[in-house]
Amino acid sequence: MPQVTLTVNGKTSTVEVEGRTLLVELLREKLRLTGTHVGCDTSQCGACVVHVDGESVKACTILALQANGSQVTTIEGLAKPDGTLHPMQEAFREYHALQCGFCTPGMVMSAIDLVKKHPDGLSEKEIREGLEGNLCRCTGYHNIVKAIAAAQEVMHGRAQALAPAAE
Ligand code: FES
Ligand code: FES
């Protein structure tokens, strides 16, 4: 069986995979990183989004072999070792941007990449457009958009701390 070597959340692993194994299957089934979810079989839901070499990718759309040699970050790799959450995670918590939480790992990973690509800031409309590849069945998106708008201020250094959510 072919082997794939990739660095996931800072740890390098070499695993045997079948040619047809998807990256999401490698992450969930071989590396037991089950925070990356599978919500569809049509590449539409975005629950499986991870970062591959810094770019958000739907992990159900690429083969594990295509990720050979890559640096991959999953939702498990965002918090610091001392447990400090990434500002985007903190914002989702503060702004109640999740209900069942199924879409949340993919939402957070997509949102981080979206914010990084727009250092001048995103409007509410741009955030909504940027999230078109991520589906949420519970929240109605409103609090997700507010969380991302707040997190971008911290991520780009325009705010020292997250603005508290209005009561
Ligand atoms: S599981 Fe990848 S887009 Fe739905
Ligand atoms: S919080 Fe349930 S699908 Fe988004």
Side-chain angles (χ1 to χ4, degrees), residues 3-160:
Q3 288 189 330
V4 56
T5 299
L6 69 181
T7 303
V8 182
N9 302 334
K11 186 176 167 206
T12 302
S13 306
T14 299
V15 285
E16 288 192 341
V17 293
E18 293 181 34
R20 63 183 180 179
T21 302
L22 299 170
L23 177 59
V24 71
E25 293 171 331
L26 183 157
L27 294 171
R28 288 180 55 85
E29 293 163 25
K30 303 267 185 190
L31 301 182
R32 297 285 168 206
L33 293 168
T34 54
T36 302
H37 292 161
V38 177
C40 72
D41 55 11
T42 51
S43 308
Q44 282 182 315
C45 76
C48 62
V49 172
V50 298
H51 294 173
V52 177
D53 293 331
E55 300 276 329
S56 64
V57 169
K58 288 181 173 174
C60 72
T61 65
I62 67 167
L63 296 169
L65 288 171
Q66 290 175 287
N68 191 33
S70 300
Q71 301 274 340
V72 177
T73 305
T74 70
I75 192 74
E76 291 92 342
L78 288 185
K80 293 195 180 139
D82 69 0
T84 306
L85 296 178
H86 185 284
M88 191 62 75
Q89 292 174 301
E90 189 70 44
F92 269 61
R93 182 167 73 176
E94 170 67 18
Y95 284 78
H96 309 292
L98 61 142
Q99 288 181 23
C100 79
F102 190 84
C103 70
T104 310
M107 282 283 181
V108 167
M109 300 308 284
S110 292
I112 290 171
D113 189 36
L114 181 66
V115 166
K116 277 190 183 160
K117 285 181 172 144
H118 295 84
D120 295 333
L122 291 145
S123 67
E124 178 182 333
K125 182 169 176 283
E126 289 168 330
I127 292 172
R128 288 182 185 275
E129 286 171 359
L131 289 182
E132 276 176 356
N134 292 77
L135 303 180
C136 176
R137 288 182 299 176
C138 308
T139 65
Y141 300 92
H142 193 58
N143 286 358
I144 292 174
V145 174
K146 285 202 283 189
I148 296 169
Q152 69 177 345
E153 299 306 303
V154 179
M155 286 176 63
H156 291 308
R158 290 188 288 270
Q160 292 290 315

